[in-house]
Amino acid sequence: MTHLYQHNLMPLIQAQTKNHAGIYLHIPFCKQACYYCAFHFSTNLKLKSLVVEAMRKEIVLRQDYLKGMPIASIYFGGGTPSLLTLEEIERLLNQVVQSFPIASEAEITLEANPDDLTLEKLQGLRHMGVNRLSIGIQSFNDQALHYMNRAHTSAMAQNSIAWARTAGFDNLNIDLIYAIPGMTMLDWHADLTQALLLAPEHISAYCLTIKPKTVFGHWHAQGRISEIDESLTAEQFERTVAICSQQGYLHYEISNFCKPEKYSRHNTNYWKSGPYIGIGPGAHAYNGLQRQWNISHNALYVKAIQNGQCPYTEEALTIANHVNEYIMTSIRTCWGCDFDWIYKQYAIDLMATQKDYLEKMILWKLAYLSGHTLYLTNSGKLLADKIASDLFIEG
């Protein structure tokens, strides 16, 4: 059944992402630091209004970057975009609309934390054109939320979903985290069950990775916490796939599940190597030839923009960069890694050069081929990064 979903979903995704681009707006502020987070953010909100105004100016300065390509998705990420006032969000959104051609029925997503949401705020967001919410619930277990230093409770999370429905949102994503240190299979099953009872159109279930420059990373280095056993992590992932599939969700990327036609257009554009521009401190951009990333320092970002400069670093991509990034992203998705496409684009025949490795992956039931497209099995998805790196080309 999963195999059929892959082939039914692929044309739909390809048709709706072709010749379109995305805009990502990075809001680098949080109420408090989650202990697992390694993204660029600040809990000091003193520069918030200045950063918003600088982002508006950057939008104008960068309006030619995508060469007039229609914008199919606008994504407010972070950080915590829901910390912004309705007026600040509207100013940014209006500037995007004034500066770029927006495709009809564009997806406009805002990441939000439950503790920032009220019915009034949600109604305001829906009224200004935000049509998709990604709510960072992470867990419905109050003890786990406290352990991760989240600012909301399970009750707030459930209320935020109810208010979003009342406000007219019919495209909701719930973020969840599994493999939290100390999390049992029963704990994860309870979180997943509660999420499904709320019937979101999309679920993002992320495996917690302990990263060095985080509170969890420091605790891990000190021996205060340990990552959970790999076999339990695998069991939690496999349970997620099984239960979500039973409930009619398409497993279209390793961490992402959606009801039919409710995939994230913005993230799908990333995974299919589509062009996008990133606005704000720490944001990234890609136009098919180069990658750029803004300075991850709020004050220096504001100062540069006020002086009419865009403070980014640029990298021209080699053929190896293009091929390896395609392998890394495509292998995680339901439409797989198309070796024919790589050969037609770059004259690199991975089917020949990686023949022995591919045969091993298939023998070990980590992957399978359909034509010249490689798909990972659920077991293979647990090793996706390793398999991708093994397929990388040099150069």
Side-chain angles (χ1 to χ4, degrees):
M1 185 63 70
T2 301
H3 188 70
L4 292 175
Y5 279 154
Q6 290 167 346
H7 291 282
N8 288 336
L9 187 62
M10 184 169 63
L12 174 68
I13 293 174
Q14 288 176 331
Q16 295 198 28
T17 58
K18 186 178 181 181
N19 297 325
H20 287 79
I23 293 181
Y24 174 79
L25 299 108
H26 186 74
I27 310 303
F29 298 101
C30 288
K31 187 178 296 181
Q32 59 193 48
C34 300
Y35 288 166
Y36 54 82
C37 183
F39 290 115
H40 170 61
F41 69 91
S42 172
T43 55
N44 185 340
L45 305 185
K46 291 181 180 179
L47 290 179
K48 183 164 71 78
S49 60
L50 288 176
V51 168
V52 169
E53 288 310 301
M55 289 175 67
R56 289 184 63 223
K57 291 179 181 177
E58 187 189 0
I59 291 168
V60 175
L61 290 170
R62 307 269 284 168
Q63 60 186 331
D64 295 328
Y65 180 76
L66 296 171
K67 307 298 183 184
M69 188 174 291
I71 303 301
S73 65
I74 302 168
Y75 195 102
F76 289 82
T80 311
S82 54
L83 274 180
L84 299 186
T85 65
L86 287 174
E87 182 183 6
E88 288 169 334
I89 296 168
E90 189 168 34
R91 287 208 303 271
L92 286 170
L93 190 55
N94 285 344
Q95 192 62 66
V96 168
V97 171
Q98 292 169 23
S99 302
F100 292 91
I102 309 300
S104 60
E105 300 182 359
E107 175 189 88
I108 304 175
T109 302
L110 184 123
E111 290 182 353
N113 281 346
D115 43 296
D116 295 326
L117 297 178
T118 63
L119 178 56
E120 181 182 15
K121 187 162 191 173
L122 286 161
Q123 289 171 330
L125 290 169
R126 191 68 193 93
H127 179 73
M128 72 175 68
V130 176
N131 53 28
R132 185 175 183 271
L133 288 177
S134 181
I135 303 180
I137 289 175
Q138 316 310 356
S139 176
F140 291 96
N141 183 311
D142 284 337
Q143 185 176 352
L145 291 170
H146 179 74
Y147 179 69
M148 293 185 287
N149 203 39
R150 298 290 292 172
H152 69 275
T153 64
S154 176
M156 290 178 185
Q158 295 182 61
N159 286 339
S160 70
I161 297 293
W163 291 333
R165 294 303 193 195
T166 300
F169 283 96
D170 59 5
N171 197 358
L172 299 179
N173 171 62
I174 286 178
D175 276 352
L176 296 175
I177 296 177
Y178 65 95
I180 300 168
M183 173 180 268
T184 67
M185 194 64 231
L186 188 62
D187 293 333
W188 176 238
H189 185 82
D191 270 349
L192 195 56
T193 299
Q194 181 58 63
L196 290 167
L197 285 173
L198 296 172
E201 285 69 31
H202 193 286
I203 293 175
S204 295
Y206 297 110
C207 178
L208 187 141
T209 301
I210 296 178
K211 298 182 179 179
K213 296 181 180 181
T214 64
V215 173
F216 278 173
H218 294 310
W219 288 356
H220 185 264
Q222 296 165 1
R224 294 173 57 185
I225 62 171
S226 300
E227 293 180 299
I228 72 170
D229 185 78
E230 288 184 1
S231 62
L232 181 55
T233 298
E235 185 181 358
Q236 291 178 358
F237 170 75
E238 290 164 354
R239 180 71 62 87
T240 305
V241 174
I243 293 177
C244 287
S245 296
Q246 290 168 4
Q247 296 298 316
Y249 288 83
L250 311 176
H251 187 201
Y252 74 106
E253 195 272 343
I254 286 178
S255 301
N256 290 276
F257 304 81
C258 70
K259 291 291 189 178
E261 301 187 30
K262 293 296 187 178
Y263 61 92
S264 167
R265 294 186 199 172
H266 188 82
N267 289 336
T268 295
N269 187 52
Y270 292 158
W271 300 324
K272 295 185 69 63
S273 301
Y276 59 91
I277 185 169
I279 302 295
H284 287 231
Y286 168 72
N287 64 2
L289 298 174
Q290 299 95 16
R291 290 204 181 276
Q292 299 176 350
W293 54 94
N294 285 347
I295 189 171
S296 296
H297 190 292
N298 294 350
L300 294 180
Y301 168 82
V302 169
K303 182 177 180 180
I305 295 294
Q306 288 175 341
N307 290 331
Q309 301 172 344
C310 293
Y312 60 76
T313 301
E314 184 173 85
E315 176 190 20
L317 300 178
T318 64
I319 288 176
N321 292 148
H322 282 291
V323 172
N324 293 342
E325 288 187 18
Y326 171 74
I327 292 170
M328 176 62 79
T329 55
S330 66
I331 207 169
R332 296 176 59 87
T333 67
C334 67
W335 53 93
C337 182
D338 186 344
F339 293 140
D340 273 348
W341 183 86
I342 293 174
Y343 183 76
K344 289 173 184 176
Q345 293 291 320
Y346 305 108
I348 293 169
D349 190 354
L350 287 177
M351 287 290 290
T353 60
Q354 295 282 4
K355 182 175 181 294
D356 292 343
Y357 182 75
L358 293 173
E359 288 177 352
K360 289 179 182 178
M361 292 299 99
I362 293 168
L363 178 65
W364 295 336
K365 300 187 186 308
L366 298 175
Y368 63 93
L369 284 168
S370 178
H372 287 179
T373 300
L374 182 72
Y375 299 94
L376 297 184
T377 64
N378 286 340
S379 296
K381 288 170 184 173
L382 292 166
L383 302 170
D385 289 348
K386 175 65 166 61
I387 293 172
S389 66
D390 288 344
L391 291 170
F392 284 173
I393 66 171
E394 296 181 0

